[in-house]
Amino acid sequence: MVKTSTVVPLRSTFINKYLKCPRYAKLSQVETVAKKEHYYVGGIIAAVMTEAVHIGQEFNSGEYAAQLWLSHMATGMYACNDDQRNTMISRLSTAVDNYKIWYRESGFETLLTEITLYSEGTGGPPYAGRVDLIARRDGKIYLLDLKSHGMWGKGISIPKHTSESLKRDMQLAFYSLIMQDCMAAVGDCPRDKPSSEWECKWISNFKIKPDYVGLIELAYCVPYVRGDKAGQSRGDPLFSIPYSESSYDYAKEVAEYVGFNMFFKNYPRVSKYERGRNSCDGCEFRLGCFSENVTGFKPTVPDWIK
């Protein structure tokens, strides 16, 4: 019998938000603001389409992207104008068509796709993380997460990764922490619900340790469109490093720090100066953060403002 918890598990996304600003991390859990930007739905559609590639499903990329866009926009959760929609569908169609070719020629054999890893943690809240792809190549196991960074602006912004930056990537390090003692589930595993409420299928006797962990950047599957390189590939979309037990210590320290502060309900505001302005200025919760009615923070307006 799978042992589950009534506590919402800690994920790397929340940890990264907490390190940016604890109050922002908490508000992202409890507050609903305006409809989410178009790039949220773009990332979701990209995940669905690449999962279809991993399982060998045949589809027309343009038609499938348009169909998925319509179904997600029907929920009323996302804000997207006509130009953003057309850009999104066009780039997804091109990127996924090229991704099909790349994946077929990469030598990867799909073992598991869209799987949630779950661990009871190290004394605080349980841990969970969703993995886009676990695949095998040349006898080696790869644990990979697919990203759509830089896909949705006026131009394509190509993310740059090095082996050192990947070693410091909290999401990849968090996988190292979870996989020390984890279970796996496929199906509906909502981020905002405890594992006891997941409508999923647990994989019994899940024991797998990767040889490599890494990211696949979908933006690299969109060719250059201007200049001397127009039509040429942007390069290999795969960025990976050998799986290292040393990442476990890094992730454990950070996760336990965040978990400890969550237990004592420590969510102070942290304001930073970045990209030429105060980070609060661009925060989606900037209007509600200092109001009297923010969920779970009453009163939230500091005395010096009053």
Side-chain angles (χ1 to χ4, degrees):
M1 182 177 179
V2 175
K3 184 178 180 181
T4 57
S5 172
T6 58
V7 178
V8 176
L10 184 62
R11 296 176 182 256
S12 61
T13 302
F14 182 86
I15 292 175
N16 282 323
K17 289 180 179 179
Y18 191 96
L19 296 177
K20 177 181 179 181
C21 173
R23 182 63 58 91
Y24 168 74
K26 185 61 177 178
L27 291 177
S28 67
Q29 286 187 321
V30 300
E31 287 293 299
T32 301
V33 292
K35 294 180 179 180
K36 292 185 177 181
E37 297 285 349
H38 66 287
Y39 51 80
Y40 282 97
V41 72
I44 294 171
I45 294 174
V48 174
M49 295 181 72
T50 51
E51 179 186 10
V53 173
H54 300 153
I55 63 177
Q57 181 179 334
E58 294 294 333
F59 58 90
N60 179 290
S61 297
E63 293 177 358
Y64 196 22
Q67 174 188 339
L68 290 169
W69 181 85
L70 285 171
S71 64
H72 281 85
M73 292 304 294
T75 65
M77 295 173 57
Y78 307 99
C80 183
N81 61 40
D82 290 345
D83 288 340
Q84 291 168 340
R85 175 201 61 202
N86 294 337
T87 297
M88 183 186 307
I89 292 175
S90 173
R91 289 183 182 167
L92 278 170
S93 177
T94 300
V96 174
D97 276 342
N98 287 324
Y99 183 70
K100 290 178 184 177
I101 297 171
W102 176 84
Y103 190 70
R104 185 171 59 246
E105 297 177 350
S106 68
F108 280 120
E109 171 196 358
T110 301
L111 298 179
L112 293 165
T113 183
E114 290 299 318
I115 181 173
T116 296
L117 304 180
Y118 175 82
S119 169
E120 293 183 12
T122 58
Y127 303 144
R130 193 171 185 85
V131 181
D132 291 327
L133 177 65
I134 298 178
R136 178 166 49 215
R137 182 170 70 179
D138 298 329
K140 304 295 184 181
I141 303 297
Y142 288 72
L143 189 152
L144 303 170
D145 212 72
L146 194 133
K147 301 294 185 183
S148 57
H149 295 142
M151 286 277 289
W152 317 121
K154 292 183 179 180
I156 297 290
S157 177
I158 299 299
K160 304 293 184 183
H161 299 290
T162 65
S163 59
E164 290 304 313
S165 68
L166 290 176
K167 290 176 183 177
R168 296 190 299 271
D169 186 281
M170 174 50 66
Q171 184 175 9
L172 298 182
F174 200 60
Y175 290 148
S176 301
L177 176 60
I178 296 175
M179 294 191 73
Q180 296 295 315
D181 182 20
C182 75
M183 299 178 287
V186 291
D188 189 14
C189 306
R191 293 177 176 271
D192 59 346
K193 292 184 179 181
S195 57
S196 58
E197 297 181 21
W198 292 354
E199 296 180 6
C200 63
K201 177 182 178 181
W202 292 95
I203 300 176
S204 59
N205 300 318
F206 179 83
K207 295 294 180 183
I208 186 170
K209 290 292 178 67
D211 299 290
Y212 294 90
V213 294
L215 308 173
I216 298 174
E217 292 285 358
L218 195 59
Y220 277 75
C221 294
V222 181
Y224 289 102
V225 294
R226 298 184 182 88
D228 297 337
K229 295 183 178 180
Q232 296 182 26
S233 168
R234 296 178 186 266
D236 192 339
L238 174 65
F239 298 87
S240 63
I241 55 175
Y243 179 85
S244 173
E245 299 289 343
S246 63
S247 296
Y248 168 85
D249 292 331
Y250 165 54
K252 183 174 182 290
E253 289 175 0
V254 176
E256 289 183 347
Y257 159 76
V258 174
F260 175 84
N261 281 280
M262 290 172 64
F263 179 80
F264 287 102
K265 297 181 173 55
N266 290 331
Y267 297 102
R269 298 179 183 89
V270 173
S271 178
K272 300 178 181 178
Y273 194 77
E274 53 188 20
R275 298 180 181 178
R277 64 179 182 179
N278 187 297
S279 58
C280 290
D281 296 339
C283 178
E284 61 185 297
F285 302 108
R286 62 188 179 277
L287 299 180
C289 185
F290 289 104
S291 80
E292 291 280 9
N293 301 308
V294 178
T295 304
F297 298 100
K298 295 182 180 179
T300 190
V301 180
D303 290 338
W304 60 268
I305 281 188
K306 294 177 181 179

